[in-house]
Structures are given as structure tokens and as C-alpha cells.
Amino acid sequence: MGAEALDALQPDIVSIAMRERIDGPEHEGIVYFIEDGVASVVADVDNKMAIEMGIIGYEGVTGINLLYDDPVDVFRTVMQVEGRAAAVKAGKWQDLLRRDDQTRAIAMKFARAFSIQVASTALANGRAKLDERLARWLLMVGDRTGSTFPITHEFISMMLGVRRTGVTLAVQLLEGKALIRASRGSITIVNRPGLIQMSNGAYGFAEAHYERLLGALT
Amino acid sequence: MRYFFNYRDAARYFVDSEGTELGDIGAATDEARQSVRELLGIERGESDPAFAGGTYEICDEAGTVLAKLAFDQVVLPAA
């Protein structure tokens, strides 16, 4: 979406901390155009089961339900890597989507790209090994933040829906292959092509469609 | 109590410096088994050359090995 169209929505530029929940009652009626950092869209059932469906960085906006003209958001969105966003009243955003064909066309392309990412996540969750899923996930976050980003094993385990135990080992496996460097609370991607290879196809499919629909991410 | 899941095979030894709070050694062994399934891919149920000879050594805070679980012991998911 063009900067002018976004300015017309009179956004507030806000900082969002890691783990801050950006939907729910305290944020009702606001969408966030991410400027930097990463937001995570999580499906959960009564807080019993939860898993990440997809992530949104500077290429997108939260409240994907609104892009389908559905006022009901059924997923939780949590900030995964802290950053800034342009916060806009949902009503203004919906008005613009309804009246401006060009904005709606771009927004629908983003919605389409996101749905392909969600399919790719489902495939990885069901068929890929943990180190492959971790490689995919680190690459996706890196595409949106740069090669170094703050993250804990516990948080990765929540997002991937696996035990922390395996995440710690998988991180060390990738580190042992000199693909990443991990320190307490942060990870650096040091060999991106190697990490892509490590993902064994889990990374790249959705990304090719992001590029086709929205232009290159990095 | 806090259990630590160190990984060992012929070539590698990785120390779990974080640990996980669990009820007893039974729960810790179950944790290790589930973790192996995730590492091998939950649907595959087959051994993986990347973890050949791999073993979780379940330790206490002092580093004493309380139990071991070979990755090859965990093949098919429980019904």
C-alpha cells in the first residue's frame, strides 16, 4: 500500500514489545501496519492447544479478517520480535478498503500471500522434521528483521508447537553446522543458503509466491 | 525438579543449559521421548541417519545422568 493512502488513515506510530498481544479487548478496533519487527498469528483452542499459523512483518498488516470484510478476528496476534507499527482504527481501514479499489487489490494480494504461507506452515508442521521447521522459521523471521534477532528457545517452542527440549537441541545442531550463531536470547543467521538447504524445501515455496504477489521481501 | 536433556552421539555432545521443570523421572523420560518424535518428524516414525547413535542423557542440575534414551528406541509414535 502506498505511503499516501496510509497517511490518510492518520496512523499512530507505536512501539510494540516482544510478547505483547496486539489483538483482543485492549486493542479492539485497531490494525497494525508493521514497520519493523515481526507479529505472529496464532491459532488456539481455549488456551489448550496453540500453534503459529503465520508471521507478518513490514510487508503486511494485522487483522487479516478485515481484508475479507469479516469484522470477527478468530486468531490471536502476538508480537514475536519487538518493533514499530502504524496503528490505524479498523473502521477507517475498512472504509478505505471498501471505497478504494487499488488499496483493496493490494490488500487482497497480501491476504492471498498470507494464505499460501499458512498452507506452507501446515505442510511443514505435518511433514518436516524439527530442524527443518526451525530452519524455515529462522529464515522467515530473518527475512523480516535482518540476520540477527532476539528470540528465546521457549518462545520458539511455543511458536512451533513443540517441546523446548528439542528446540535447544535443534538450535545446537544448526549451530554445529555453522548455519547460525546462537547466544543467550538472540540468534544470528550466518549461512543463509546453507539454512535454506537445511530446510529441505520447507522454506522457499511460500516465499516465491510472496515475491510474485508483493515483490521481494529482502 | 529441573531435568536437563543432554544429547550425545559418536561425534557430538550438546549440553542443555536451560532444563525443564518436571514432576519425576518418568515425566522426564516421556518428555525426552516426545522430543525425539518431534526431532525425527512425528509422521515418519522411522530412524534418521542424522541422529545415528544419538542418545538423550537425562541429567539433574549437578550433571548426574539419571536415565538415557536412545533415539532408535523411539520409532513409532504411541497409539
Side-chain angles (χ1 to χ4, degrees):
Chain A
M1 184 165 100
E4 268 173 47
L6 185 53
D7 283 347
L9 296 171
Q10 298 170 290
D12 283 327
I13 306 301
V14 295
S15 292
I16 313 174
M18 184 181 163
R19 291 185 183 226
E20 190 173 327
R21 189 172 170 165
I22 55 178
D23 70 350
E26 67 275 27
H27 295 278
E28 197 166 81
I30 296 175
V31 297
Y32 296 87
F33 291 84
I34 307 293
E35 295 196 340
D36 51 48
V38 177
S40 171
V41 184
V42 176
D44 65 358
V45 179
D46 302 332
N47 289 319
K48 282 185 206 145
M49 290 193 279
I51 197 160
E52 181 178 81
M53 305 160 47
I55 65 175
I56 302 171
Y58 63 87
E59 80 284 3
V61 61
T62 64
I64 287 168
N65 52 297
L66 294 176
L67 310 181
Y68 297 100
D69 206 22
D70 177 3
V72 181
D73 189 356
V74 298
F75 303 120
R76 186 154 59 93
T77 304
V78 183
M79 207 62 177
Q80 175 179 99
V81 175
E82 64 179 2
R84 283 170 311 152
V88 168
K89 288 205 169 69
K92 283 187 178 175
W93 174 225
Q94 264 188 304
D95 284 349
L96 182 67
L97 283 170
R98 283 174 181 158
R99 92 183 120 77
D100 185 58
D101 293 342
Q102 208 183 339
T103 298
R104 193 172 58 249
I106 296 169
M108 289 311 294
K109 283 190 181 195
F110 168 67
R112 170 67 179 148
F114 188 79
S115 75
I116 295 170
Q117 187 200 137
V118 172
S120 163
T121 303
L123 184 60
N125 289 357
R127 283 287 176 267
K129 297 189 298 169
L130 180 50
D131 51 359
E132 297 164 350
R133 293 176 59 199
L134 177 64
R136 167 182 187 261
W137 192 83
L138 295 173
L139 286 160
M140 287 171 61
V141 174
D143 285 348
R144 291 162 175 84
T145 62
S147 57
T148 298
F149 43 88
I151 207 80
T152 64
H153 295 177
E154 196 211 336
F155 197 71
I156 295 174
S157 81
M158 283 162 48
M159 293 299 107
L160 296 182
V162 296
R163 283 163 175 72
R164 194 280 316 160
T165 304
V167 171
T168 296
L169 177 53
V171 165
Q172 288 171 307
L173 291 172
L174 298 185
E175 210 178 8
K177 292 180 173 152
L179 302 176
I180 61 170
R181 203 167 49 237
S183 64
R184 209 159 187 81
S186 88
I187 284 181
T188 300
I189 295 171
V190 293
N191 179 353
R192 192 170 178 277
L195 207 52
I196 292 172
Q197 204 178 356
M198 183 74 226
S199 81
N200 197 18
Y203 174 88
F205 171 77
E207 286 67 29
H209 289 287
Y210 265 72
E211 189 163 345
R212 175 176 65 81
L213 289 159
L214 304 171
L217 263 183
T218 40
Chain B
M1 118 165 212
R2 204 157 189 87
Y3 292 91
F4 297 81
F5 300 84
N6 300 338
Y7 174 83
R8 188 188 292 279
D9 62 28
R12 298 171 295 188
Y13 180 57
F14 293 127
V15 174
D16 174 12
S17 55
E18 297 199 15
T20 302
E21 204 66 41
L22 292 158
D24 57 25
I25 188 67
T29 306
D30 191 48
E31 168 82 13
R33 190 173 293 118
Q34 293 295 342
S35 171
V36 171
R37 286 196 185 120
E38 289 162 357
L39 285 157
L40 299 180
I42 49 173
E43 295 286 338
R44 296 191 185 181
E46 60 195 39
S47 60
D48 183 336
F51 295 101
T55 301
Y56 264 134
E57 297 182 353
I58 306 171
C59 299
D60 63 15
E61 211 144 348
T64 310
V65 179
L66 306 172
K68 290 184 185 183
L69 183 73
F71 277 41
D72 283 345
Q73 271 175 263
V74 185
V75 182
L76 286 167

